Amino acid sequence: KQEVTQIPAALSVPEGENLVLNCSFTDSAIYNLQWFRQDPGKGLTSLLLIQSSQREQTSGRLNASLDKSSGRSTLYIAASQPGDSATYLCASKSTDSWGKLQFGAGTQVVVTP
Amino acid sequence: GAVVSQHPSWVICKSGTSVKIECRSLDFQATTMFWYRQFPKQSLMLMATSNEGSKATYEQGVEKDKFLINHASLTLSTLTVTSAHPEDSSFYICSARALLTVGKTQYFGPGTRLLVL
């Protein structure tokens, strides 16, 4: 069974610093990997999706990398802002496009002004 | 586009009562909807997958008689928590999968917070 782990569980940085969030998964046979943002008491907002054939995806200040062989994905957020404060979740989709999403427990990020 | 709504956004009920949560895809047809549960500081755990017009498939350890799921149309799925108890207090999130998109993308609702007293 796929297990997804996110380290650290919580992270606090001053505004302007770059953020590095880690996600690891035990089964490298994934279809894709997705990063989400969750604000307190809210649902999920999709940030980036990396297909298994891709190495990275970028959107604005966000960059996500994927290394299937080592079972790792990393989300980089450049020049963090207080508005980036949220919980970031990664999720892997198994086997094919119909597969289930397996979520990590998330990294809670606080960016201080 | 691709908006999923949930109603209510939060609910408080007494122990032993039943609570119904609605999940709607507002601008697309969703043949499949997913129900997740999230406890504080924990990840989303898939409870069940429902396909329009058929019975839901429950994950191991989820009581199907307690968590009733109905997916009667391509835009609506409901989760009913029957005889709710305090341990059922949680954040329930639904997700809808759009059929006609590459990769069968899932779109998530804003969640429903349930507190059972």
Side-chain angles (χ1 to χ4, degrees):
Chain A
K1 179 186 174 183
Q2 176 77 284
E3 292 184 6
V4 180
T5 305
Q6 290 186 248
I7 295 173
L11 183 62
S12 181
V13 298
E15 182 177 4
E17 274 200 13
N18 297 330
L19 285 163
V20 180
L21 308 179
N22 298 301
C23 172
S24 62
F25 45 95
T26 55
D27 186 352
S28 62
I30 62 172
Y31 180 75
N32 62 37
L33 187 133
Q34 200 163 357
W35 284 92
F36 295 88
R37 169 183 172 138
Q38 184 177 30
D39 291 287
K42 303 292 184 182
L44 276 64
T45 300
S46 179
L47 298 174
L48 290 169
L49 184 150
I50 312 175
Q51 299 295 345
S52 62
S53 59
Q54 298 175 320
R55 296 298 298 266
E56 66 177 353
Q57 277 288 338
T58 299
S59 176
R61 294 185 294 112
L62 277 60
N63 174 277
S65 66
L66 175 64
D67 184 343
K68 283 179 55 179
S69 62
S70 65
R72 294 180 181 177
S73 177
T74 303
L75 177 66
Y76 302 89
I77 302 177
S80 61
Q81 303 169 357
D84 295 328
S85 298
T87 296
Y88 293 83
L89 299 165
C90 68
S92 68
K93 177 178 280 191
S94 61
T95 60
D96 56 33
S97 61
W98 298 101
K100 299 176 185 177
L101 290 176
Q102 186 69 39
F103 284 87
T107 295
Q108 185 177 14
V109 172
V110 175
V111 180
T112 55
Chain B
V3 177
V4 177
S5 70
Q6 282 185 241
H7 179 79
S9 57
W10 61 271
V11 58
I12 302 174
C13 69
K14 293 181 179 180
S15 183
T17 61
S18 294
V19 174
K20 179 183 286 188
I21 302 170
E22 292 186 349
C23 176
R24 294 182 184 271
S25 58
L26 298 184
D27 50 4
F28 65 97
Q29 293 184 330
T31 55
T32 304
M33 289 187 174
F34 306 85
W35 287 95
Y36 295 84
R37 181 167 52 182
Q38 185 181 34
F39 293 107
K41 304 292 185 183
Q42 296 186 26
S43 183
L44 276 72
M45 297 301 296
L46 180 64
M47 299 175 65
T49 302
S50 73
N51 292 294
E52 185 264 339
S54 61
K55 291 183 178 181
T57 301
Y58 292 82
E59 295 299 302
Q60 191 173 11
V62 178
E63 301 175 57
K64 62 180 181 180
D65 294 330
K66 180 171 184 61
F67 298 99
L68 302 179
I69 292 174
N70 183 278
H71 191 168
S73 77
L74 288 173
T75 59
L76 174 64
S77 176
T78 60
L79 168 68
T80 301
V81 183
T82 62
S83 186
H85 292 286
E87 58 265 30
D88 299 323
S89 298
S90 187
F91 193 53
Y92 292 86
I93 300 177
C94 75
S95 173
R97 184 158 63 194
L99 179 63
L100 300 178
T101 58
V102 175
K104 311 301 185 291
T105 303
Q106 284 181 232
Y107 299 94
F108 287 81
T112 296
R113 186 161 301 281
L114 170 63
L115 177 61
V116 184
L117 302 177

